[in-house]
Amino acid sequence: MKTISSLFLAFLFICNLTAQNKLDSLEFYNQNSTDTIRLNKLINYCFTHIEEIPDEAFLYSQKAILKSKELNSFSCEARANTNLGAIEALRGNYSQALKYYLESLALWEKLKGYRGILLSKNNIAQVYGYLKKTDLEYQFLKEAETIAQQYA
């Protein structure tokens, strides 16, 4: 029994260290995101850990949007908005998810970033599916399919 208790405590300690390491990494990437390469690392890290630490990923994705605007990087801003949309979708806040995905789509359209447009339309279609708006879901999926066929 003593061994099981010791193993359980060790497991809890390791889990705590892992969670702290993720938060430390987010803060490190945030403080060092002085250019778009480093800012992309922050955005990627947030996306990778959306399910594990959604509140922190949301906060740092919001910070990434502010830094994107400072650096005048529409692509970073679009990617950070996609992160926010994904987090809101995971939370079941579909109207908020839609807002972020539409913002991301607008930025990708401004850049003529067809891959980003395609992914945004897929994300929007998924949210419309959750909202049981199948006509809009189908519309956005067809638009994404058309883009995929044009640029594949």
Side-chain angles (χ1 to χ4, degrees):
M1 186 68 178
K2 187 175 184 180
T3 304
I4 293 173
S5 296
S6 296
L7 288 173
F8 181 71
L9 288 174
F11 175 75
L12 288 177
F13 179 73
I14 291 169
C15 288
N16 187 37
L17 283 179
T18 303
Q20 188 59 46
N21 284 342
K22 289 175 186 154
L23 295 178
D24 291 344
S25 295
L26 278 171
E27 187 55 36
F28 173 79
Y29 288 133
N30 181 53
Q31 289 177 357
N32 292 296
S33 58
T34 55
D35 57 49
T36 57
I37 292 171
R38 291 179 178 150
L39 182 56
N40 271 307
K41 288 182 181 181
L42 172 64
I43 295 165
N44 289 342
Y45 197 84
C46 287
F47 183 77
T48 303
H49 298 288
I50 281 174
E51 291 185 10
E52 300 166 64
I53 49 172
D55 294 338
E56 292 79 5
F58 191 88
L59 174 69
Y60 282 96
S61 291
Q62 287 178 317
K63 291 180 180 187
I65 288 174
L66 295 175
K67 289 190 182 213
S68 298
K69 289 179 180 182
E70 288 173 18
L71 297 171
N72 201 30
S73 175
F74 295 126
S75 62
C76 287
E77 186 178 350
R79 292 181 64 239
N81 270 297
T82 298
N83 283 356
L84 295 174
I87 294 165
E88 290 294 10
L90 280 173
R91 292 174 174 167
N93 299 331
Y94 300 122
S95 61
Q96 282 298 107
L98 190 59
K99 178 187 127 201
Y100 289 119
Y101 285 150
L102 287 168
E103 180 66 29
S104 181
L105 175 60
L107 290 163
W108 285 120
E109 287 176 337
K110 185 185 236 183
L111 292 168
K112 296 186 183 353
Y114 297 106
R115 183 176 178 273
I117 294 169
L118 175 106
L119 294 172
S120 293
K121 287 183 182 275
N122 270 331
N123 290 335
I124 292 165
Q126 182 181 34
V127 171
Y128 279 131
Y130 292 139
L131 294 171
K132 307 281 191 245
K133 295 184 177 185
T134 53
D135 54 331
L136 289 169
E137 176 185 22
Y138 181 76
Q139 174 192 328
F140 277 90
L141 285 174
K142 287 304 285 180
E143 291 172 12
E145 180 183 38
T146 301
I147 293 168
Q149 289 171 345
Q150 285 178 331
Y151 296 99

